[in-house]
Amino acid sequence: MKLRQGQFSFLPDLSDDDIRVQAQYAIDNGWAVSVEYTDDPHPRNTYWEMWGHPMFDNPDAAAVVFEVNECRKEHGGTYIRVIAFDASPGWESIRMSFIVNRPATEPGFRLIRQEAEGRSVRYTIESYAVREPEGMRY
Amino acid sequence: MDESRPTHVDLTAAFEDSGVRDVLRELDETLIGLEPVKSRIRETAALLLVDQARRQLGLATETPTLHMSFTGNPGTGKTTVALKMADLLHRLGYVRKGHLVTVTRDDLVGQYIGHTAPKTKEVLKKAMGGVLFIDEAYYLYRPDNERDYGQEAIEILLQVMENNRDDLVVILAGYGDRMDRFFASNPGFRSRIAHHIEFPDYSDGELLHIAQTMLARQNYRLDDGARAAMEEYIAARRGQPHFANARSVRNALDRARLRQANRLFTEASGPIGADRLSLITEPDIRASRVFRGGLDVDRKTGQAMRQAAE
């Protein structure tokens, strides 16, 4: 099951050139672009591992593609995303976020039903991947 | 051949449209002397234009190697020309942003193990889409210390120069003889650099011309006596140590302006016109130490005085 998180996730995977153009858009708007990776695909997993520092002062997006490829060498089997942080007053938040790398197989999510008081049922999801310890998933 | 491709190109139109003509004209107007450098840049521009045209016709596909080395004595305009070169490459579409990142050994080489690679990569990332100008590049290589981290920076540089040729252009700069030794001990660099441009020293006449242009830009001018003094100054300064061509001239003019301001302050009684405020006279230049044998003389007399005091 293909993970659909962030922008462009219903499109075919982005090529390096697509990544460059998108990152350039973020840079031209003055947003700090950074690369992050994780092996926990849960949608509420907000804070992924940082790959290096956010790139505050690189005027060209070739640097982002360079870092994405460096990260792929090291963590090619996990999810990698590019995010753009807008530091301007009133925003101070993520403006863009898109996945640029995913594991070869994505096992998807399991639905968990929990019996609660009064015969009510609580639902939650869990990725099949996270049953393995960190670093051994995928 | 592809149907959509044009069958012929107009080089003159490309020359006009890309703005290369403007850059070359600016180069001619703002830089005094440096004829061999200008002609090399004109040649390079022509080569890049033709190459671009060839690519439009589908005759060439690879990005040509654009890395350069600028060799010459200090103050011969290497950084200024690098700025113009970045602009030129940007207009021709060989670099996307056209900014110039100037670095020296300190910015590339770290202080402890594992510090160099991230530092060098950070600089390279900053320079991507533009031109990386490495001043006094030979300091990167220190043959006397085999554990020097400079070697690591060189390896990363070479790798990026080869793999990311589309993303950045590297210009190495430094004194001629030391750069030659640097290239001799790092053959990888020599083969990856296509354009070697040598910057000759300025002649005395050119330096005087430069002095006048610099002053004119700041709305100052020399009177006849001062011009003669400046001519003598340049000839005398050339023979003294640490002569740095146009940079020495700029420093001399800065000091002359200081003296002029001081003179006006002490002499002036009553209002001064714009004319006097912008005139640099002979005594302003004659007061320089250069006419008394330069820096070394002062230092020696200072030492003698200290010794006498002891």
Side-chain angles (χ1 to χ4, degrees):
Chain A
M1 193 207 83
K2 201 175 167 195
L3 191 66
R4 311 280 184 195
Q5 281 181 21
Q7 297 166 289
F8 320 124
S9 56
F10 285 88
L11 298 178
D13 285 346
L14 300 183
S15 71
D16 279 8
D17 224 33
D18 297 333
I19 298 170
R20 191 177 59 74
V21 173
Q22 294 300 340
Q24 190 63 55
Y25 172 78
I27 291 169
D28 291 344
N29 277 296
W31 306 334
V33 182
S34 53
V35 179
E36 298 183 332
Y37 65 94
T38 193
D39 58 2
D40 179 2
H42 195 281
R44 301 298 280 266
N45 176 21
T46 318
Y47 302 109
W48 293 19
E49 311 286 336
M50 289 169 74
W51 176 260
H53 302 292
M55 287 169 250
F56 294 106
D57 48 2
N58 297 333
D60 192 79
V64 177
V65 178
F66 177 78
E67 281 303 330
V68 166
N69 283 322
E70 290 289 297
C71 187
R72 276 178 183 151
K73 278 182 209 160
E74 196 86 0
H75 303 285
T78 66
Y79 292 99
I80 302 175
R81 71 178 175 191
V82 171
I83 61 171
F85 182 82
D86 185 356
S88 56
W91 268 92
E92 290 113 350
S93 180
I94 303 295
R95 286 267 206 159
M96 289 174 78
S97 166
F98 51 93
I99 292 175
V100 294
N101 191 74
R102 38 180 89 242
T105 53
E106 298 173 273
F109 293 86
R110 177 169 79 102
L111 182 72
I112 300 168
R113 294 183 185 82
Q114 186 188 35
E115 291 277 0
E117 320 82 58
R119 294 203 45 84
S120 61
V121 177
R122 286 177 179 156
Y123 297 99
T124 188
I125 56 166
E126 182 195 52
S127 169
Y128 292 109
V130 299
R131 289 172 172 180
E132 302 295 326
E134 242 180 288
M136 295 166 78
R137 302 161 186 172
Y138 301 110
Chain B
M1 203 185 271
D2 203 323
E3 283 285 318
S4 62
R5 269 194 191 124
T7 50
H8 53 270
V9 285
D10 188 351
L11 276 182
T12 333
F15 186 60
E16 296 279 350
D17 295 345
S18 57
V20 173
R21 177 193 284 277
D22 296 335
V23 179
L24 291 180
R25 201 185 45 225
E26 210 184 301
L27 200 75
D28 266 339
E29 281 168 6
T30 54
L31 293 181
I32 293 149
L34 292 178
E35 276 319 315
V37 176
K38 285 177 186 166
S39 66
R40 272 307 299 272
I41 290 176
R42 241 173 273 133
E43 282 167 27
T44 313
L47 170 77
L48 295 181
L49 258 177
V50 169
D51 205 82
Q52 201 184 33
R54 282 172 60 86
R55 273 202 282 179
Q56 278 167 11
L57 296 189
L59 293 172
T61 43
E62 284 213 353
T63 319
T65 309
L66 291 169
H67 306 307
M68 298 174 208
S69 94
F70 288 0
T71 51
N73 288 327
T76 43
K78 296 188 288 288
T79 316
T80 317
V81 171
L83 260 174
K84 295 266 185 293
M85 193 53 104
D87 192 19
L88 188 76
L89 292 174
H90 177 51
R91 287 181 194 228
L92 281 168
Y94 284 93
V95 292
R96 280 185 300 269
K97 294 275 156 190
H99 59 292
L100 183 77
V101 176
T102 309
V103 296
T104 52
R105 179 189 155 95
D106 282 359
D107 302 295
L108 295 169
V109 180
Q111 287 163 355
Y112 41 83
I113 292 180
H115 190 206
T116 303
K119 220 174 160 181
T120 307
K121 277 184 187 158
E122 207 58 46
V123 167
L124 286 168
K125 269 158 51 187
K126 212 179 283 180
M128 275 180 182
V131 174
L132 178 66
F133 182 77
I134 306 178
D135 209 0
E136 305 195 68
Y138 39 77
Y139 281 132
L140 283 177
Y141 178 68
R142 295 214 166 135
D144 44 313
N145 183 358
E146 64 181 39
R147 279 190 290 178
D148 183 59
Y149 302 136
Q151 196 59 42
E152 203 182 334
I154 289 176
E155 275 159 30
I156 295 168
L157 263 176
L158 285 177
Q159 194 192 337
V160 171
M161 277 166 79
E162 191 62 39
N163 297 345
N164 299 57
R165 257 190 294 172
D166 298 347
D167 294 329
L168 89 163
V169 171
V170 177
I171 298 179
L172 304 175
Y175 305 107
D177 50 338
R178 293 170 95 177
M179 283 306 278
D180 284 343
R181 249 175 294 153
F182 175 70
F183 284 129
S185 39
N186 295 281
F189 266 121
R190 169 141 288 225
S191 59
R192 278 175 182 81
I193 287 174
H195 308 275
H196 292 263
I197 301 182
E198 261 180 60
F199 287 65
D201 278 348
Y202 289 110
S203 71
D204 289 0
E206 283 165 356
L207 282 176
L208 185 66
H209 192 172
I210 288 170
Q212 280 169 322
T213 333
M214 279 179 183
L215 285 176
R217 212 172 293 151
Q218 300 167 2
N219 287 323
Y220 277 98
R221 63 192 176 81
L222 298 167
D223 68 5
D224 291 338
R227 190 173 310 121
M230 197 65 209
E231 247 170 272
E232 275 179 54
Y233 176 93
I234 290 165
R237 183 68 187 84
R238 189 183 289 278
Q240 288 166 10
H242 307 300
F243 173 64
N245 287 288
R247 200 173 303 142
S248 291
V249 169
R250 190 181 62 201
N251 292 344
L253 293 177
D254 282 346
R255 285 190 295 271
R257 278 167 51 208
L258 196 81
R259 286 185 214 108
Q260 184 240 21
N262 206 17
R263 174 173 57 81
L264 287 178
F265 214 75
T266 47
E267 281 178 0
S269 49
I272 312 173
D275 194 50
R276 275 193 72 193
L277 276 178
S278 57
L279 189 68
I280 289 180
T281 58
E282 190 172 352
D284 296 333
I285 300 207
R286 289 276 177 204
S288 168
R289 280 183 299 200
V290 168
F291 291 107
R292 286 178 282 123
L295 222 65
D296 293 344
V297 175
D298 280 19
R299 204 162 282 150
K300 267 178 215 140
T301 47
Q303 266 170 1
M305 276 167 73
R306 242 172 287 137
Q307 273 162 2
E310 281 165 12

